[in-house]
Amino acid sequence: MKKVMLIITIVSMSLTSCVSKKKFTELEAKNKEIQDLLNTATVKLNTCLTEREALASQVDFLKKNNTDLINNMGNLTTLTTKGAENLEKSLESLKEKDLKINRLQDALTKKDSVTLALVTSLKREVGIDDPDININVEKGVIMISIADNLLFKSGSYEVSDKAKGVLAKVAKVINSKPDFECMVEGHTDNVPIKNAVLLDNWDLSVKRATSIVRVLHKELGVNPKQLIPAGRSSYIPLVENDSPANRAKNRRTKIIIMPKIDQFYDMLESEMKNLSGK
């Protein structure tokens, strides 16, 4: 069973379309609940598998015991009522445990199956040969990382025409999954910026995120209810900001495509209750 880990990190500066602190707190709390559920589910699943093995051994023992009785006595009437009842109960318990295990495994793998299918589609649509675009799965969600030299001019938050071509391919995949959410994260290096429009790197990262969200919505037809802009400033670097090349790597935009948290939470919670027999 593939263990699903879903970590949603949202640190945003509120502009007109940025994530509110209340939304961030709600998503962060929900994400912690999901992670706790996943950990509990894994423990319960392992316990079920252990119990299943014990039950299977018990069934084998009872079958062998009954076979020996039949062979020794030469008559089915030697199969005691108690032995028959124990065998029947063990078989029913084993069947029920198998059903619960299968249901929980389906719940835990359903999201990953959809995610992997989307990654394949994205790589086919966007292409994987461009060194400025990276598509992969991290902690159960799809991460599309696009270098800023492909999206913006230095110190600017105006989306380039070249970037719109890439975003159009991303929008096609997002539009194919109307039940999924799309978070756009702006990241900068640690070089301070301040001018008549931008106050700091927080401001730049948020404006870049909202600029891409506007393109996805207004120009490419993505449902605004699916879009979440967020600014991360320079605080989640990929590498140390100790050289021009490394600073360039840290200037990026991440587009995170993920199932709606509530949908996945409800699905997992339901199967956890089934596993507990409630």
Side-chain angles (χ1 to χ4, degrees), residues 22-274:
K22 181 178 179 181
K23 177 67 174 177
F24 166 74
T25 302
E26 291 175 353
L27 290 174
E28 188 177 53
K30 185 67 71 175
N31 178 61
K32 185 178 184 303
E33 290 182 37
I34 291 175
Q35 184 172 339
D36 291 342
L37 270 177
L38 286 171
N39 292 337
T40 304
T42 301
V43 172
K44 286 183 175 290
L45 182 57
N46 289 336
T47 301
C48 285
L49 291 172
T50 300
E51 292 176 355
R52 181 184 182 281
E53 291 179 1
L55 286 169
S57 297
Q58 184 179 358
V59 169
D60 290 340
F61 171 79
L62 289 171
K63 286 182 176 179
K64 184 178 185 301
N65 186 55
N66 288 329
T67 299
D68 290 342
L69 286 172
I70 293 171
N71 292 336
N72 290 336
M73 302 303 296
N75 195 319
L76 287 174
T77 57
T78 59
L79 180 60
T80 66
T81 302
K82 184 176 180 180
E85 290 176 352
N86 287 341
L87 178 60
E88 183 177 356
K89 289 179 180 179
S90 296
L91 289 171
E92 286 297 324
S93 180
L94 184 61
K95 182 179 179 180
E96 181 179 357
K97 193 68 66 176
D98 276 340
L99 179 61
K100 289 180 178 180
I101 290 172
N102 289 335
R103 292 178 66 181
L104 182 58
Q105 287 176 329
D106 288 344
L108 294 174
T109 59
K110 181 179 179 181
K111 177 174 156 288
D112 273 354
S113 298
V114 175
T115 298
L116 292 175
L118 276 178
V119 169
T120 301
S121 179
L122 272 168
K123 288 184 175 180
R124 183 175 61 250
E125 291 290 338
V126 179
I128 58 175
D129 296 328
D130 194 326
D132 293 325
I133 303 173
N134 184 37
I135 304 172
N136 63 341
V137 176
E138 296 179 15
K139 299 174 182 178
V141 297
I142 300 170
M143 300 283 191
I144 308 170
S145 183
I146 307 176
D148 273 5
N149 60 4
L150 182 61
L151 297 173
F152 311 100
K153 293 181 180 179
S154 178
S156 170
Y157 54 88
E158 182 178 350
V159 181
S160 69
D161 291 336
K162 182 180 180 182
K164 291 179 182 179
V166 175
L167 293 176
K169 297 175 182 179
V170 175
K172 181 178 179 181
V173 176
I174 298 173
N175 288 333
S176 72
K177 291 293 178 182
D179 290 334
F180 278 48
E181 290 181 333
C182 177
M183 178 181 292
V184 179
E185 286 186 352
H187 294 259
T188 70
D189 58 27
N190 67 342
V191 178
I193 185 171
K194 185 174 183 179
N195 54 41
V197 178
L198 300 170
L199 299 178
D200 51 26
N201 282 336
W202 278 115
D203 209 3
L204 176 59
S205 66
V206 170
K207 285 183 179 295
R208 285 181 167 179
T210 53
S211 293
I212 290 177
V213 163
R214 290 189 186 100
V215 170
L216 289 172
H217 167 46
K218 294 183 178 181
E219 300 184 30
L220 301 174
V222 176
N223 187 338
K225 293 181 179 180
Q226 294 178 254
L227 299 173
I228 306 171
R232 305 304 298 267
S233 187
S234 61
Y235 298 106
I236 314 291
L238 292 175
V239 292
E240 293 294 330
N241 284 289
D242 54 7
S243 69
N246 281 354
R247 286 191 289 273
K249 291 179 181 178
N250 291 329
R251 296 190 299 270
R252 67 201 188 279
T253 297
K254 291 178 71 174
I255 299 177
I256 306 169
I257 302 176
M258 54 194 173
K260 288 185 178 179
I261 293 178
D262 288 342
Q263 292 178 345
F264 179 56
Y265 179 82
D266 291 343
M267 177 181 67
L268 183 59
E269 185 179 42
S270 174
E271 293 309 323
M272 285 290 291
K273 287 180 178 178
N274 288 331

